[in-house]
Amino acid sequence: MDFNFDNERPIYIQLVEKLRLAIITAKYPLGSRLPSVRDLALKAKVNPNTLQKALGELESDWLIYTERTNGKYVTNDSKLVKKFRSDMAKDIVRSFISDMKNIGYSNEEIILCLKEKGEK
Amino acid sequence: MLLECKNVSKNYGRKKALNKVSLEIPEGRIIGLLGKNGAGKSTLIKLINDLLVLDEGSILFEGKPIGVYSKEHISYLPERTYLDKTMKVSEVIKLFKEFYKDFNEEKALKLLKDLDLDIETRINKMSKGMQEKLQLVLVMSREASLYILDEPLGGVDPATRDYILDTILTNFKEGSSIIISTHLISDIERILDDVLFIDKGKIVLSSSADSLRKKEKASIDEVFRRMFKC
């Protein structure tokens, strides 16, 4: 996983994004056990408290759950993961469209551009 | 509360080095004590470690005044080494073992082995970077409740800085707190829970690191530069 951080944004939010991506791309597969907080914090070179906060956020989204004394696991709910995946796709598309509009492309031109690229 | 400073003042002659500083350090936090040279960082740290006597106010560690008890539980990395450089590493380890009940010799030996450091080497035969690493290993091998690191990154190369940050993160005892004083903020800010800005002997800002980033939409380093622009 890429653990480069941008110091200008809260670190825990960036951790949430990275971990969510790892779940969506099945780098952490459904139902799998996550590394311990301390191991994960070391890997990411962040403070264990910050990581704990990020995990709390994922837990409140039901993407992970805690099994008492046994550690943290990725959800088994594939629908939920798909929903987060499609939300992320929407965000990517939205930002792509806004970038294209910014350089003066019309909706038709954007669609044309996507088709051409897709056919290659 | 792990550490409590109330209205602490310290004067050097007519100069006010610290002016009514109050702060609280809870358990399990990594705190950056950030300020320019001469802002009062080292004075505050020396007072907490009982190396200076305060003029006013009080400092309590786990509710007790600074003294033998606090020294047993605070592991301190000074800005400049106090080790006798004619000693061998093995002799320093023996000294730490005798001095501190919470010193984990096994851990220290393992960390030194990872550094490929022969413990029969004399300190004055080691590079400056290696001396800094040795000092850090000794300090982090104590199972303390509070670690106070005064400029742990000063004067070392970027690779050594990474080693130092890794060693801090890997080795502090769970539930303990760390105070790191530095002016090299960008290298260290991602591991901080909280920041304290100190200027002209006063605490001028106290915040959680992430909420400060959110509020100012900038890195801690950037916020610091804006605030203390010369």
Side-chain angles (χ1 to χ4, degrees), chain A residues 3-14 38 41-42 44-50 53, chain B residues 28-30 166 169-174 186 189-193 210 213-214 217-220:
Chain A
F3 277 126
N4 286 314
F5 293 92
D6 170 3
N7 279 340
E8 291 178 16
R9 295 171 56 223
I11 305 292
Y12 87 91
I13 291 176
Q14 298 180 61
R38 214 162 159 100
L42 275 181
K45 295 194 180 165
V46 297
N47 183 324
N49 294 331
T50 312
K53 192 171 172 192
Chain B
R29 308 292 283 179
I30 303 182
D166 270 9
L169 274 181
T170 324
N171 293 292
F172 76 105
K173 193 181 80 180
E174 220 154 320
S186 61
E189 63 169 84
R190 69 194 279 186
I191 74 165
L192 301 178
D193 286 305
D210 270 351
R213 286 189 189 100
K214 209 176 201 170
K217 296 195 170 40
S219 64
I220 306 295

Side-chain angles (χ1 to χ4, degrees), chain A residues 55-94:
Chain A
L55 293 175
E57 192 102 349
L58 291 172
E59 202 154 356
S60 67
D61 284 341
W62 304 101
L63 279 171
I64 61 173
Y65 65 95
T66 304
E67 203 155 89
R68 252 191 324 160
T69 70
N70 230 341
K72 295 194 188 299
Y73 290 80
V74 177
T75 179
N76 287 305
D77 185 348
S78 61
K79 264 193 196 153
L80 181 72
V81 174
K82 273 191 190 136
K83 188 194 158 285
F84 276 96
R85 179 161 163 265
S86 75
D87 284 353
M88 190 179 248
K90 278 178 201 150
D91 283 345
I92 293 169
V93 170
R94 205 174 294 130

Side-chain angles (χ1 to χ4, degrees), chain A residues 95-114:
Chain A
S95 106
F96 165 74
I97 291 174
S98 119
D99 283 353
M100 292 298 272
K101 292 239 158 120
N102 207 17
I103 57 168
Y105 271 61
S106 69
N107 285 348
E108 292 71 31
E109 282 173 310
I110 293 172
I111 292 169
L112 205 65
C113 191
L114 281 171

Side-chain angles (χ1 to χ4, degrees), chain B residues 83-89 121-128 131 134:
Chain B
L83 297 173
D84 173 357
K85 294 194 178 177
T86 62
M87 283 172 100
K88 291 178 185 170
V89 176
T121 314
R122 281 184 201 285
I123 296 174
N124 56 20
K125 294 281 184 290
M126 292 160 46
S127 70
K128 183 166 182 277
Q131 290 182 20
L134 167 66

Side-chain angles (χ1 to χ4, degrees), chain B residues 67-101:
Chain B
V68 175
Y69 179 79
S70 65
K71 287 183 208 177
E72 278 177 359
H73 297 280
I74 298 177
S75 189
Y76 166 51
L77 179 76
E79 212 177 342
R80 284 183 202 81
T81 183
Y82 49 80
L83 297 173
D84 173 357
K85 294 194 178 177
T86 62
M87 283 172 100
K88 291 178 185 170
V89 176
S90 57
E91 291 168 334
V92 180
I93 288 180
K94 199 167 156 247
L95 184 75
F96 260 69
K97 213 172 114 184
E98 281 169 11
F99 230 84
Y100 299 111
K101 276 184 248 165

Side-chain angles (χ1 to χ4, degrees), chain B residues 144-168:
Chain B
S145 339
L146 177 63
Y147 300 85
I148 301 182
L149 315 175
D150 196 359
E151 294 285 357
L153 305 177
V156 298
D157 58 77
T160 306
R161 274 179 210 169
D162 281 350
Y163 172 83
I164 288 173
L165 285 182
D166 270 9
T167 308
I168 294 171

